[in-house]
Amino acid sequence: MDRDDTTLRVLSTSDLAGLDISLADVVDTVEQAYRTLAAGRSDNPRKLTVKPADGHSVSYAMLGRDGVRNVVAIKTSYKHGLHETRERQHYYTTLSIYDDVTGLPVAMMDCSRIGSLRTPAVSALLARECAAPDAATALVIGTGTQGRLALPFLLTTLPKLKRLLLSGTHPDGIAAVRNELARHCPDREVELVTDLPSAARDADIIIATAGDHTPAAVEAGWLKPGATAILVGHGLAPSTLHRADRIIATSEAQMRVTGTDMADADGNLPAVDLELPVIISGLSKARTAPEQRIFAYNSGLVVTDIALGHRFAQLAADQKLGTEVALWR
């Protein structure tokens, strides 16, 4: 990544799309980021949020430092048209990385592929740490960006799962889920379910990735003893949080910023029992009894984006991808 201090490597969506990275590599990179954070070697301040009164858009800014890679980065996220259908929304997210040893910029990149890989990897880590020892059936709700890779990542951390269920209504999304599963796990098949309450009662692990317009809302009473319910987008009713035996979050502070739709009638969210970095470090266990129903909240931490973004920047530099921009000249 040799350059002077006036230029910046810009990595576009198409640059990053051409980079090959295994699901195991993504999981390992994300897991290392959590371990480093738990060890106190990285910094992940609370995200900043801006949202207009009518709720038509939402913006986030996240700053962090990776103590193993010795890089600092800033992630921005802007979504417009929240009241519109998914096809009419606009979403832009970027990551800018700086080398904290040399003081030079590393790259600025589109962060959409990073997020599309990081988020299901985190869900898979949550499932690995929270699921009951005999977990055999997994249900994914939603067929959007996060739903399409949820099952391949889940099988990366829990390869012994026997039954895979999918709840979705969009034909293109359902086809995309099947295609991704066939690409990464050609020997596995997914069952499309139409009776959500029945599927939820069968599931040991539920990953809710649906969009905010979904009618799906799994209730706490549908969950079997020992079930783990992981919220990424939408698809779980607030009762799954408020009646859970254990509550796990990637970050309690971020859950209180982005999880307000799960609050009770008084606007309150219950306390989190443990955060994922502490669990990943091995200091504490998410599950303390087989029959516990666990709710897990996946909000993402910028240190995981930084670690995965830096990995992509390294791969791109090796292949001489990207455009050098004389931004400060």
Side-chain angles (χ1 to χ4, degrees):
M1 300 185 196
D2 293 336
R3 65 166 59 82
D4 60 35
D5 61 359
T6 67
T7 62
L8 177 69
R9 183 188 300 272
V10 176
L11 298 171
S12 68
T13 303
S14 56
D15 291 328
L16 297 175
L19 295 175
D20 186 30
I21 186 168
S22 70
L23 301 188
D25 191 348
V26 174
V27 170
D28 289 344
T29 301
V30 170
E31 185 170 5
Q32 182 195 54
Y34 281 130
R35 291 185 186 279
T36 307
L37 181 63
R41 298 175 59 190
S42 293
D43 297 295
N44 194 106
R46 182 173 175 172
K47 67 171 65 174
L48 299 176
T49 308
V50 174
K51 192 172 186 178
D54 65 0
H56 74 268
S57 70
V58 63
S59 307
Y60 298 107
M62 293 148 276
L63 170 69
R65 185 181 189 279
D66 186 311
V68 166
R69 296 173 178 271
N70 287 313
V71 295
V72 172
I74 302 167
K75 179 183 177 182
T76 62
S77 176
Y78 171 67
K79 181 177 284 189
H80 181 276
L82 297 185
H83 302 317
E84 304 285 347
T85 60
R86 183 182 301 161
E87 294 75 17
R88 293 176 60 86
Q89 292 179 354
H90 297 280
Y91 178 60
Y92 307 98
T93 177
T94 62
L95 183 71
S96 300
I97 307 175
Y98 303 88
D99 189 315
D100 202 30
V101 175
T102 66
L104 298 179
V106 175
M108 182 180 76
M109 65 190 70
D110 168 40
C111 203
S112 56
R113 189 183 179 200
I114 294 165
S116 70
L117 293 172
R118 177 266 290 159
T119 302
V122 173
S123 293
L125 288 170
L126 283 166
R128 186 190 73 187
E129 299 299 329
C130 297
D134 60 350
T137 299
L139 166 65
V140 171
I141 302 171
T143 61
T145 301
Q146 297 306 324
R148 295 174 187 184
L149 280 173
L151 289 173
F153 270 106
L154 193 54
L155 291 170
T156 302
T157 60
L158 293 171
K160 294 183 179 180
L161 288 172
K162 296 177 181 178
R163 190 179 177 205
L164 308 176
L165 309 178
L166 174 67
S167 174
T169 58
H170 298 283
D172 291 345
I174 293 168
V177 170
R178 294 189 186 280
N179 290 339
E180 288 293 343
L181 184 62
R183 183 163 71 94
H184 294 284
C185 310
D187 59 332
R188 304 301 300 267
E189 294 184 356
V190 60
E191 304 172 37
L192 183 64
V193 299
T194 55
D195 186 341
L196 183 59
S198 177
R201 292 185 182 100
D202 288 340
D204 300 293
I205 301 166
I206 299 173
I207 301 180
T209 73
D212 54 5
H213 295 291
T214 182
V218 171
E219 295 286 352
W222 303 354
L223 301 180
K224 66 195 295 188
T228 295
I230 301 169
L231 185 61
V232 181
H234 298 270
L236 299 180
S239 62
T240 58
L241 167 62
H242 294 274
R243 292 171 55 186
D245 298 306
R246 297 274 283 175
I247 299 172
I248 308 300
T250 46
S251 165
E252 181 170 14
Q254 290 196 9
M255 187 178 88
R256 298 193 179 281
V257 172
T258 60
T260 54
D261 58 320
M262 297 294 283
D264 63 16
D266 297 321
N268 298 318
L269 292 171
V272 168
D273 292 292
L274 283 173
E275 294 184 328
L276 183 59
V278 175
I279 299 168
I280 292 290
S281 72
L283 295 175
S284 299
K285 292 186 177 297
R287 179 177 294 276
T288 58
E291 301 295 299
Q292 289 173 334
R293 294 179 176 88
I294 294 181
F295 175 93
Y297 189 81
N298 178 356
S299 61
L301 294 179
V302 74
V303 289
T304 59
D305 294 285
I306 293 170
L308 193 55
H310 188 257
R311 181 81 179 104
F312 272 109
Q314 291 174 318
L315 294 172
D318 291 343
Q319 298 181 34
K320 302 187 183 306
L321 296 175
T323 303
E324 293 287 346
V325 177
L327 187 62
W328 298 286
R329 185 175 300 166

